[in-house]
Amino acid sequence: MASKPHPPLMKKHSQTDLISRLKSRKILGVGGEDDDGEVHRSKISQMLGNEMKFAVREPIGLRVWILISAVGFTVMALMALVFPNQLYEVVFEEELPTTSISVRLYGGAVLSLALIMWNGLYTAEKIIIQWTLLSEACYFAVQFLVTSITLVEIGILPNAAMLLLLSRVLFLVVTMSYYYHLGRKPKKI
């Protein structure tokens, strides 16, 4: 019995065969969209991730705002720690001899917030910047409420206290604006 000779094997060139190349990419799991809608060009970029995803698009003036906040918190904390009675007199226009310890405790708390601000200034991580802004916003909201309640209890409304209340509302609005803009998802191009 004579056997038929087999036709010569044709070598497939996967680089030129489009269907084969698409099948290979599908098996490897590259080329399609992931959960975030990004298309990875290689398995390595898929495993390592896209560094553009982690880049923070900061709102204009964010670092300047955090610097101003850090300096302001530091100065206020040092004033409360070193000159507690004078700080209370400036805001509420009355002297209380027993407020020294509470104002110093306030200064210690504000100094802790100042350290958070200084850390937020030098970080590149979006989540740390967001928590820094949220901590600052909470401080401004709580200080506004506490100062308002104290003024109602005392029954006076000094100009310095009104200026403090207005500045806290303004600072709260600016901080929450930066927090909102930093948390927004960038538009896909």
Side-chain angles (χ1 to χ4, degrees):
M1 176 145 120
S3 66
K4 285 190 199 175
H6 293 290
L9 293 174
M10 296 190 65
K11 196 173 184 182
K12 243 185 180 181
H13 298 288
S14 65
Q15 294 168 342
T16 58
D17 186 8
L18 181 63
I19 295 173
S20 174
R21 192 169 65 186
L22 289 175
K23 284 182 184 177
S24 299
R25 291 180 67 79
K26 188 172 184 178
I27 290 170
L28 287 172
V30 294
E33 288 186 4
D34 63 3
D35 294 338
D36 295 331
E38 295 185 16
V39 177
H40 296 281
R41 303 289 179 237
S42 69
K43 195 67 177 176
I44 292 174
S45 74
Q46 186 178 13
M47 296 300 289
L48 295 177
N50 185 359
E51 71 275 355
M52 289 306 290
K53 184 185 338 182
F54 301 110
V56 177
R57 287 194 174 160
E58 296 178 353
I60 297 171
L62 174 66
R63 295 295 175 162
V64 174
W65 176 251
I66 295 176
L67 175 66
I68 290 169
S69 296
V71 170
F73 274 64
T74 304
V75 168
M76 185 61 70
L78 292 176
M79 284 176 54
L81 289 170
V82 179
F83 307 112
N85 291 332
Q86 289 80 2
L87 184 64
Y88 186 86
E89 288 173 23
V90 165
V91 174
F92 296 107
E93 293 182 356
E94 67 178 51
E95 185 178 340
L96 291 175
T98 59
T99 60
S100 179
I101 187 73
S102 59
V103 174
R104 282 198 171 116
L105 286 172
Y106 163 78
V110 172
L111 188 59
S112 299
L113 283 171
L115 293 174
I116 293 173
M117 298 296 148
W118 287 111
N119 182 37
L121 181 64
Y122 294 110
T123 189
E125 295 183 36
K126 178 180 176 180
I127 192 72
I128 292 177
I129 296 171
Q130 284 181 315
W131 276 105
T132 301
L133 291 170
L134 192 59
S135 299
E136 184 179 5
C138 287
Y139 166 77
F140 289 140
V142 168
Q143 189 180 31
F144 176 81
L145 289 173
V146 169
T147 306
S148 299
I149 291 169
T150 304
L151 289 172
V152 168
E153 287 176 351
I154 293 175
I156 58 170
L157 203 59
N159 289 337
M162 284 303 296
L163 184 62
L164 177 71
L165 289 175
L166 289 175
S167 68
R168 293 311 173 228
V169 170
L170 176 68
F171 294 161
L172 179 64
V173 168
V174 171
T175 302
M176 288 309 294
S177 171
Y178 278 124
Y179 179 78
Y180 170 74
H181 287 296
L182 191 63
R184 284 183 26 206
K185 296 208 183 246
K187 294 180 182 176
K188 300 245 180 190
I189 300 173

